[in-house]
Amino acid sequence: MTSELEAARSLRASGLPVTKEARPGHWAVKILRSPWLWVFLGATALFAACLGWMYVTSVAPTPTEGGGEVPGLNLSAIRRSALLALPTLAVWVAAFVALDRFRPMRLGFWYLALGWGAAVSTALSMVINTWASRQMAIVGADPSSGARAAVFVAPFVEEATKATIVFFIAVAVRYRIVSTLQAVTLAGLSAAGFAFTENILYYSRVIVYSSMTIGTGDPEQALNTIVFLRGVKTAFGHPLFTTLMALGFIVGLRAQSKIVRIIAPLVGYLAAALGHMVFNFFASVGLDDTVMAIIGWAIALSLIIYLIRRILAEGRRQRDRLGDYVDMGWLPPNVVVLFTRQRTRWACFFISLTYGWRAMFATLRIQRTMSELAYLRDAELHGTVDAAGALRARTLLDEARALAPVAVTDPAVQKLQLPKLPAWLRRRRRTPAAGTWAPPGYAPASFLPGQVGSPGYSPVDPRWGPPKG
């Protein structure tokens, strides 16, 4: 018992998950006992509360100094603005999700990042920016008070609120954020959600103002102009600035030096706020929209090229780190090809669909297990994970060997299954043969993973694996 407690304490100190024994019970009971279920439900309630508060605040009229009032928004304008802002959101979500490809975050974390940016970050920014604008305003009519708050307050507030969700996820599951691509994806989804809600507010104000004010010209033309400006020409704004923060954050998260862990996220945050400040300044002084769009998209293009290079670098890192396990004799050589090529992984996934749900889930799990093994080895080389990494590696190898007989791991051997007789006429379960990556001497039917007497098992040395030859 003492050794088990020490192992669990060592895993937690390195930020690695502690594997618990599977308890028998109904799947519904297991879901209800999961703490992440209640985290997602609580986050959903928080998102709904923030969106409801923003709606009530936006539809209420705003009193002016002269005794009048500015009309609030209405449900019809908000509904139409949401439809106009949706294409921009869809493009950014698709781009950032496609970026996270080697060890993608769970769907729930993507949901948390997107919902936080669209609801919580926007609501906090509205409260803080409004309060700061009132504090910075001069008694009497001051036309520069709005621009002053937009330049000196809004960038720092908005970038801080958007980045908070990345910090929360990193604190909760640090071992899941292992690459630049993951940090950029989470930060980008938060920024895309923030821009979506902000665009809805801007579009709705134009709709209401142009429909109630005489002399504004064609309302549809005014609406189309701002939709093209914010949804296309300057759509790079929030995702670009928050991505700069994510780059500094991941440098600090993967650094061994405590000084770098503090300074790198701070530098990334200041770079994001400075870029946001410069953007708002040029917009306030009336710089031509086309010039701003050219400069902004040029910077965004350079960042896109950098991220594409990071994708290629991640592929090389996966091959090198799984190659380390091959050199140590823990894995056979062909796993490097089977689990580090994106086209092979996708081919295995689509083939697994023809074998049934059991094979599909096993294929996804074994691919994630191999990716986690590669990044675990990389963390050991960086010095951010100590000897507890060997304990986690042993657990992952056990899981991979248990999944190998069911999962599809080699598209060259395991082919697509053509439709046959209906299920009610043919009761046999279709199960694929074990993939060719299985280690030599591995007999899945003869032992349980980790059981005494299994091939390569050693109760003393955690660095165990299949015997060579």
Side-chain angles (χ1 to χ4, degrees):
M1 181 64 67
T2 304
S3 60
E4 295 179 358
L5 293 177
E6 292 179 354
R9 191 178 297 111
S10 178
L11 290 170
R12 292 192 182 97
S14 296
L16 299 175
V18 179
T19 304
K20 299 179 180 179
E21 295 183 0
R23 297 180 179 179
H26 197 269
W27 60 269
V29 177
K30 296 180 181 179
I31 293 178
L32 291 176
R33 289 178 177 177
S34 174
W36 286 109
L37 172 66
W38 304 105
V39 169
F40 292 138
L41 291 179
T44 302
L46 178 61
F47 298 161
C50 292
L51 291 175
W53 176 83
M54 284 190 292
Y55 174 78
V56 173
T57 304
S58 301
V59 299
T62 304
T64 60
E65 294 181 358
E69 62 180 16
V70 178
L73 308 181
N74 54 69
L75 183 59
S76 176
I78 294 176
R79 186 185 302 113
R80 184 182 180 187
S81 299
L83 294 176
L84 293 173
L86 189 60
T88 305
L89 174 67
V91 170
W92 282 122
V93 169
F96 284 114
V97 168
L99 187 66
D100 191 7
R101 54 198 306 173
F102 285 97
R103 195 189 173 204
M105 300 291 292
R106 304 286 184 178
L107 182 62
F109 294 114
W110 289 343
Y111 164 74
L112 289 179
L114 184 63
W116 180 276
V120 182
S121 177
T122 314
L124 290 175
S125 298
M126 285 180 61
V127 173
I128 300 175
N129 289 340
T130 302
W131 173 83
S133 299
R134 293 174 181 174
Q135 298 299 318
M136 298 179 68
I138 302 175
V139 178
D142 181 20
S144 65
S145 60
R148 189 184 299 117
V151 173
F152 296 104
V153 177
F156 293 94
V157 173
E158 293 176 3
E159 297 306 324
T161 56
K162 286 184 292 184
T164 305
I165 186 60
V166 184
F167 176 79
F168 286 160
I169 294 177
V171 171
V173 284
R174 183 180 55 162
Y175 70 97
R176 289 187 180 273
I177 304 180
V178 293
S179 66
T180 303
L181 304 179
Q182 288 182 325
V184 170
T185 297
L186 293 176
L189 290 176
S190 179
F194 186 96
F196 174 69
T197 305
E198 191 178 54
N199 286 340
I200 292 177
L201 295 176
Y202 274 91
Y203 299 166
S204 301
R205 289 169 185 169
V206 171
I207 293 174
V208 173
Y209 180 79
S210 60
S211 63
M212 300 184 65
T213 305
I214 301 176
T216 57
D218 187 3
E220 290 297 326
Q221 183 180 359
L223 179 60
N224 294 334
T225 300
I226 192 172
V227 168
F228 181 72
L229 173 64
R230 296 188 59 87
V232 179
K233 293 179 71 173
T234 60
F236 61 86
H238 287 291
L240 173 63
F241 305 140
T242 312
T243 297
L244 296 177
M245 185 282 309
L247 295 179
F249 179 82
I250 193 62
V251 170
L253 189 64
R254 290 173 51 82
Q256 187 176 4
S257 172
K258 294 183 179 179
I259 298 177
V260 177
R261 290 183 180 181
I262 297 175
I263 294 180
L266 181 60
V267 171
Y269 168 69
L270 293 177
L274 180 61
H276 200 159
M277 182 185 300
V278 173
F279 178 84
N280 287 357
F281 170 76
F282 284 128
S284 301
V285 299
L287 183 66
D288 185 68
D289 298 336
T290 304
V291 176
M292 292 180 56
I294 294 174
I295 298 175
W297 282 111
I299 299 175
L301 180 60
S302 63
L303 184 60
I304 292 172
I305 295 175
Y306 169 77
L307 293 177
I308 292 176
R309 294 185 62 184
R310 290 306 311 167
I311 292 176
L312 301 177
E314 290 298 324
R316 291 192 297 269
R317 181 162 64 165
Q318 288 258 335
R319 291 192 293 270
D320 294 340
R321 300 291 76 85
L322 284 182
D324 292 344
Y325 289 108
V326 173
D327 295 337
M328 292 185 290
W330 291 19
L331 292 173
N334 54 346
V335 299
V336 177
V337 177
L338 296 177
F339 291 100
T340 59
R341 290 180 178 177
Q342 286 294 317
R343 59 180 180 271
T344 305
R345 292 164 67 107
W346 281 106
C348 292
F349 170 73
F350 286 116
I351 293 174
S352 68
L353 296 177
T354 64
Y355 287 99
W357 292 100
R358 185 165 174 258
M360 184 197 70
F361 284 118
T363 302
L364 289 176
R365 288 180 59 189
I366 198 172
Q367 291 179 359
R368 285 182 172 271
T369 300
M370 287 298 166
S371 297
E372 185 176 350
L373 266 174
Y375 285 111
L376 177 63
R377 175 61 180 169
D378 187 70
E380 290 178 333
L381 295 179
H382 276 82
T384 56
V385 173
D386 55 14
L391 300 176
R392 179 59 181 170
R394 174 177 170 174
T395 302
L396 294 175
L397 288 171
D398 283 347
E399 294 177 359
R401 292 171 187 171
L403 295 169
V406 184
V408 174
T409 57
D410 192 350
V413 176
Q414 297 159 285
K415 302 295 183 180
L416 290 170
Q417 295 290 312
L418 298 178
K420 297 181 180 180
L421 295 176
W424 60 277
L425 290 177
R426 186 170 166 272
R427 295 296 182 183
R428 289 187 305 168
R429 178 178 297 178
R430 295 179 298 172
T431 303
T436 57
W437 81 273
Y442 171 62
S446 62
F447 73 96
L448 296 176
Q451 182 180 357
V452 176
S454 61
Y457 178 84
S458 172
V460 179
D461 187 3
R463 300 174 302 170
W464 65 285
K468 296 183 180 180

